[in-house]
Each structure stands twice: as structure tokens, then as C-alpha cells.
Amino acid sequence: ITINRGAVDGAYQGQPVLTWNEFASPIGFGLGHFVIADTSYRRIAEIQVGNGFAGGDHHELLITPRNTALFILYHSIEWDLSEIGGPKHGLVIDNIVQEVEIETGRVLFEWHTLDHIPVHESRLAFNPADNRDHPFDYFHMNSIEEDPDGNLIISARHTFAIYKIDRLSGAILWRLHGERSDFEMGEGAEFAWQHDAR
């Protein structure tokens, strides 16, 4: 299956390019590689995820001015879900940001949601019966953006929050909305299910 973002997505090596994710996954996301093509759809590069993960997710491929690629991985792991009424050995999706050097595939940066954001911050209802067949998609990262200061802005659909991540330490610098917002929201300003935070 090819997911084509259908527009000029930026530049690679000074030239405008199109990008897409090719994946084959029984759960509909998370197990693909990325393609960079010129504006005539000729493939000029393919990007595989690093560090032994199965594949990247179609939600985001951001090519940086440094000719690196930032993208999202959805990785299912065993996790203690008892705090949300689930099994001690349940399944959850760890959302991962990776940055790789496009030409070499070398991983330059990696950040995991489960290291920084607990499962109980999810606004998605947990179904214990469903967890036997499907890992809990507690976070559902759907965009990455580089801030002018070099740090990262990520959006999480299932926590109803946007986060700023310190690239050097991995710490969360601020949260916009969600369970632990660092900003006071005005009356009636609540939001949910956001996508593509820039």
C-alpha cells in the first residue's frame, strides 16, 4: 500500500521533493519505509528506520535543512496497564521520534513517549478485552515540527495535547492542553483530537 501525501513536501539537497510512506500492516499503521521522489515521481532516496524497529508510521516525514529525516515509529511492547484497569502484562504502543541521516541511515536522535508521558494521561477509553488482540494506542503521535530553537513540537491525538521536547535532554519543556497543561486555557477554548501541530 502506498500512502502519498500528494504535495511538494519540502526540499532535499536543495531540490523540491515529494515524500510518502509505503507500508503493509495488519493494524493499519506503523510498519513502513519512506520514499523521497523528485517532482516527476522518480525515486531519489528511500529511508529505513533505525535501531532494529520494524518500520515507520505514515503520519510524518519531515526533511530538515540538514538533509536528515524526522519521523514517527509506533512500537508495540508489553507494559503494566494496571493503573488504567488493564493487565499487568498488557500491550501498549510506544510512540518514538527518530531522526536519521538520509544518505547513511545513521540514527542521530531517538525519543520514546513511554519514557516521559504516562499511559494514564491518555483520553482514549481503555478496553481490556480489546487489549488481547490490539495494543493500547494511548498516545497516537501525529506530527513533528522543529521549533526555530532546534527543539521539537509534537502532537498527540489521544492525550489531547501538544508537547515541546528538549532535543538535548529529551525533557518536556511544556504541554499545551491535556491532563497537565502548562498554559491556562480560556473559557470555551478546550480542544481535542488535534492533528498536524505547527
Side-chain angles (χ1 to χ4, degrees), residues 2-189:
T2 300
I3 303 296
N4 190 338
R5 294 178 63 185
V8 175
D9 289 327
Y12 174 56
Q13 296 181 338
Q15 299 299 314
V17 293
L18 300 151
T19 64
W20 63 85
N21 176 281
E22 294 181 340
F23 71 94
S25 171
I27 56 175
F29 54 76
L31 298 176
H33 67 276
F34 300 96
V35 176
I36 302 175
D38 65 19
T39 54
S40 297
Y41 291 92
R42 288 186 295 261
R43 292 171 184 243
I44 56 176
E46 290 195 9
I47 303 166
Q48 303 292 336
V49 304
N51 293 342
F53 292 104
D57 181 69
H58 66 275
H59 278 98
E60 183 75 87
L61 171 62
L62 181 68
I63 299 174
T64 73
R66 301 176 301 282
N67 293 319
T68 65
L70 278 161
F71 49 81
I72 298 166
L73 310 174
Y74 283 13
H75 179 64
S76 176
I77 64 170
E78 187 177 288
W79 198 259
D80 183 355
L81 298 176
S82 55
E83 69 175 334
I84 57 168
K88 187 163 182 62
H89 301 285
L91 294 174
V92 70
I93 296 174
D94 186 17
N95 290 207
I96 303 164
V97 175
Q98 251 188 27
E99 181 178 14
V100 302
E101 203 169 53
I102 293 172
E103 285 192 6
T104 67
R106 183 169 60 105
V107 176
L108 304 173
F109 174 81
E110 188 170 293
W111 184 86
H112 295 249
T113 56
L114 286 170
D115 291 341
H116 302 277
I117 300 156
V119 173
H120 68 76
E121 288 191 25
S122 183
R123 300 292 180 94
L124 192 66
F126 176 72
N127 181 345
D130 189 48
N131 195 240
R132 288 190 290 267
D133 299 315
H134 302 286
F136 183 43
D137 185 11
Y138 92 104
F139 198 76
H140 201 90
M141 190 186 311
N142 55 27
S143 69
I144 308 168
E145 176 78 342
E146 278 196 310
D147 209 32
D149 63 11
N151 294 310
L152 302 176
I153 306 290
I154 63 170
S155 170
R157 182 176 189 262
H158 290 169
T159 62
F160 299 176
I162 297 166
Y163 305 81
K164 184 169 181 176
I165 309 302
D166 185 293
R167 186 190 287 270
L168 295 178
S169 69
I172 297 171
L173 297 173
W174 51 252
R175 291 168 162 85
L176 176 62
H177 202 51
E179 187 178 284
R180 299 169 55 196
S181 184
D182 293 296
F183 301 92
E184 188 173 329
M185 304 298 286
E187 187 176 340

